[in-house]
């Protein structure tokens, strides 16, 4: 069971539900060790679903009022996709694994950040005019991983700025404070608008 | 009268390898440090670098279900079977039969299934193996000699690999199949196949049942933090109540003996953290650890 406020995704039953509403069926054959992500905005949610554990990922846009589940992003093969929101538009973090791992952040299908290698799984969020995500800006060529930081990305220019080095975790933006909660640390970053 | 040489006898005296050289399973000396002479993209591919550095390669098996430890064991059996067909290998479960080339590589030498054996022994309910020693015992049921290295260090790991033995280890896994530190919520098994040094430091080469990458390359320090991070699991909920959350009708395994950590969790560090399961055929000596009879 994966929860995000009043929204619950039940991997065993392959359903998602809001509050006491009847559950909506989704194809969520994730490995329970790595359940899918859920981003919620009002009456809709972006849900990570998959046709197989660690492979064939999809992002579904769930409309709890209309009770619909629409696929808005997908690819076949090993990897994962998670969806977030930016100015009301879906923003996807897409990780392709396999022999040549490659990661991309896509806004309206356009890549605003791309790197060879692997990146931490996490829902990117918007803050003003920038997208925030926990990323490794310089993954090692052999291991495909690297030290991670809270990174601001300008979707228009694709410019990136590492704000503070920290461990990956869910990002929560409240006002001018960003909280990233990893397994062993919770970091609050106070942002200054320039 | 000149000396006439009519014959001779060649005497070979094995010399110990120099400190920076180790002996691979085929008897050839190889540098302990396999530093890439060129970087990927400038000549030697990543795959080639990893292949050169392996001392204990294992064929891939893709797991079905929460069975990572059992598929890791299957990969190790396959590795020994590849070296000598008299070494046994087995399928994990009947579901594997439809997955030749994915769930298994070699035809099994026995009809016994690794999952069935582990269940019959009381080690597991669904394939999960939260006690490394029980994974070792499962290997022994198939005719292997298996030891568990307790409180293992990276040096212990290197010794196992230097002997050409694959090392089964547990760690905390992230979404990419790489080590992370999540307190044990994502405990997962892998087989370490070798290691090498490059500009970034020491790198371990691993394979595991997700099959999302051909070979994983992990900074040794990152792996070290990860296998020490295996503190608790919520798989059994509160241990000892015979209920497995999310699996109604399935009882906890009879020999599941994990301490209660409170909050619907069981402690796993003593049973799983920093353990190496070393599985070798009869006649091959493990480099360390203790056997559990």
């Amino acid at each position: 069971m994966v929860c995000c406020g009043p929204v619950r995704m039940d991997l065993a039953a392959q359903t998602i539900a809001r509050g006491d509403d009847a559950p909506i069926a989704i194809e969520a054959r994730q490995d329970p060790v790595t359940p899918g992500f859920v981003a919620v905005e009002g009456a809709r949610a972006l849900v990570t679903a998959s046709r197989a554990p660690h492979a064939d990922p999809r992002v579904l846009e769930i409309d709890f009022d209309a009770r619909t589940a629409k696929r808005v992003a997908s690819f076949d093969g090993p990897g994962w996709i998670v969806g977030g929101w930016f100015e009301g538009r879906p923003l996807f973090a897409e990780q392709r694994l396999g022999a040549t791992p490659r990661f991309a952040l896509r806004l309206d299908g356009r890549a605003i950040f791309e790197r060879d290698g692997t990146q931490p799984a996490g829902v990117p969020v918007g803050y003003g005019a920038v997208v925030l995500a926990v990323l490794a800006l310089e993954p090692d060529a052999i291991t495909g991983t690297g030290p991670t930081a809270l990174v601001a990305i300008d979707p228009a220019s694709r410019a990136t700025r590492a704000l503070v080095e920290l461990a990956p975790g869910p990002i929560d933006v409240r006002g001018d404070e960003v909280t990233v909660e990893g397994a062993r640390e919770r970091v609050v970053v106070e942002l200054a608008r320039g | 009268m000149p000396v006439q040489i009519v014959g001779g006898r060649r005497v070979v005296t094995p010399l110990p390898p120099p400190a920076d050289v180790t002996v691979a399973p085929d008897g050839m000396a190889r540098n302990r440090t396999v530093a890439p002479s060129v970087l990927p993209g400038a000549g030697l591919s990543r795959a080639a670098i990893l292949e050169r550095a392996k001392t204990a390669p294992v064929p891939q098996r893709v797991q079905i279900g929460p069975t990572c430890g059992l598929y890791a064991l299957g990969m190790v059996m396959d590795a020994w079977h590849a070296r000598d067909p008299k070494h046994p290998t087995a399928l994990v479960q009947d579901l594997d039969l439809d997955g030749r080339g994915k769930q298994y590589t070699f035809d099994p030498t026995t009809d016994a299934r690794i999952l069935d054996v582990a269940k019959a022994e009381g080690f597991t309910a669904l394939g999960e193996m939260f006690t490394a020693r029980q994974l070792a015992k499962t290997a022994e049921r198939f005719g292997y000699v298996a030891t568990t290295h307790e409180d293992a260090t990276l040096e212990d790991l290197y010794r196992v690999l230097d002997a050409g033995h694959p090392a089964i280890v547990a760690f905390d896994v992230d979404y990419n199949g790489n080590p992370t530190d999540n307190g044990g919520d994502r405990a997962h098994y892998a087989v370490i196949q070798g290691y090498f040094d490059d500009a970034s430091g020491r790198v371990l080469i691993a394979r595991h049942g997700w099959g999302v990458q051909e070979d994983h390359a992990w900074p040794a320090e990152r792996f070290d933090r990860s296998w020490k991070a295996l503190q608790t699991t919520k798989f059994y909920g509160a241990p000892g109540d015979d209920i497995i959350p999310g699996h109604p009708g399935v009882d906890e395994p009879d020999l599941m003996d994990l301490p209660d950590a409170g909050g619907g969790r069981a402690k796993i560090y003593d049973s799983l953290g920093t353990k190496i399961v070393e599985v070798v055929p009869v006649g091959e000596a493990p480099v360390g650890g203790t056997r559990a009879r």
Side-chain angles (χ1 to χ4, degrees), chain A residues 35 80 98 119 142 145 183-184, chain B residues 46 175-176 181 210 212 222:
Chain A
W80 48 263
Q119 296 289 337
I142 298 289
T145 59
R184 297 213 181 274
Chain B
R46 175 185 182 274
Y175 279 68
N176 298 315
D181 175 356
W210 284 14
V212 294
R222 184 169 170 167

Side-chain angles (χ1 to χ4, degrees), chain A residues 77-147:
Chain A
W80 48 263
I81 312 178
V82 303
W85 307 99
F86 181 75
E87 297 178 337
R89 294 175 285 164
L91 167 67
F92 304 118
E94 169 193 290
Q95 176 69 65
R96 293 177 186 258
L97 297 171
T100 52
R102 186 149 177 92
F103 175 89
L105 284 176
R106 296 187 187 281
L107 181 62
D108 286 338
R110 174 178 156 266
I112 62 171
F113 177 87
E114 290 181 285
R115 284 291 186 279
D116 287 336
T118 60
Q119 296 289 337
V123 177
V125 302
Y127 173 75
V130 301
V131 170
L132 296 176
V134 178
L135 300 170
L137 290 182
E138 294 180 7
D140 181 82
I142 298 289
T143 66
T145 59

Side-chain angles (χ1 to χ4, degrees), chain B:
Chain B
M1 176 194 274
V3 174
Q4 188 176 33
I5 299 174
V6 297
R9 186 166 66 94
R10 180 165 167 267
V11 177
V12 176
T13 302
L15 295 174
D20 62 345
V21 170
T22 187
V23 179
D26 62 0
M28 295 293 288
R30 53 167 284 277
N31 293 334
R32 189 185 300 279
T33 299
V34 180
S37 55
V38 291
L39 293 174
L44 208 59
S45 68
R46 175 185 182 274
I49 291 170
L50 300 190
E51 204 57 41
R52 285 172 66 184
K54 290 180 191 174
T55 53
V58 298
Q60 178 73 58
R61 290 197 191 192
V62 179
Q63 70 188 75
I64 300 174
T67 50
C68 52
L70 303 181
Y71 279 85
L73 175 56
M75 287 188 234
V76 170
M77 288 187 190
D78 285 347
W80 288 115
H81 182 75
R83 297 189 202 188
D84 188 335
K86 76 172 185 285
H87 300 324
T89 188
L91 300 186
V92 171
Q93 53 193 318
D94 284 344
L95 287 173
D96 293 349
L97 288 166
D98 292 332
R100 187 183 188 92
K102 189 173 180 183
Q103 272 71 53
Y104 73 102
T105 302
F106 301 107
D107 287 334
T109 59
T110 171
D111 290 335
R113 304 298 185 228
I114 302 174
L115 176 57
D116 292 341
V117 167
K119 279 183 176 178
E121 293 283 343
F123 298 155
T124 187
L126 298 160
E128 80 288 0
M129 300 291 287
F130 282 97
T131 299
R133 190 168 285 281
Q134 291 176 347
L135 186 62
K137 286 186 183 178
T138 304
E140 298 226 330
R141 302 297 181 265
F142 287 87
Y144 282 93
V145 171
T147 61
T148 306
H149 298 239
E150 305 276 352
D151 300 315
T153 65
L154 289 178
E155 292 303 317
D156 295 323
L157 182 60
Y158 304 146
R159 272 192 287 276
V160 173
L161 297 168
D162 288 345
H165 301 170
I168 301 177
V169 297
F171 66 107
D172 223 358
V173 69
D174 73 6
Y175 279 68
N176 298 315
N178 295 325
T180 188
D181 175 356
N182 214 61
D185 263 352
R186 302 194 190 121
H188 186 52
Y189 277 97
V191 182
I192 309 297
Q193 308 173 90
Y195 66 92
F196 65 99
D197 293 333
D198 74 356
S200 67
R202 182 147 289 183
V203 179
L204 306 178
I205 307 163
R207 268 195 185 172
H208 57 73
W210 284 14
V212 294
Q213 280 190 260
E214 201 166 290
D215 284 302
H216 293 265
W218 298 336
E221 279 184 12
R222 184 169 170 167
F223 169 77
D224 196 38
R225 284 196 300 274
S226 186
W227 72 343
K228 291 173 178 170
L230 298 177
Q231 298 294 328
T232 63
T233 182
K234 55 189 177 190
F235 186 91
Y236 295 116
D241 62 3
D242 222 19
I243 296 171
I244 301 181
H247 299 280
V250 180
D251 296 339
E252 290 175 349
D254 290 340
L255 296 185
M256 192 282 290
D257 188 26
L258 302 177
D260 191 344
R265 293 177 167 274
K267 294 181 184 179
I268 58 172
Y269 185 78
D270 287 342
S271 65
L272 196 63
T274 64
K275 305 283 184 289
I276 301 170
V277 176
E278 187 181 359
V279 178
V280 297
V282 172
E284 178 88 10
V287 303
T290 56
R291 290 181 75 175
R293 305 277 176 184

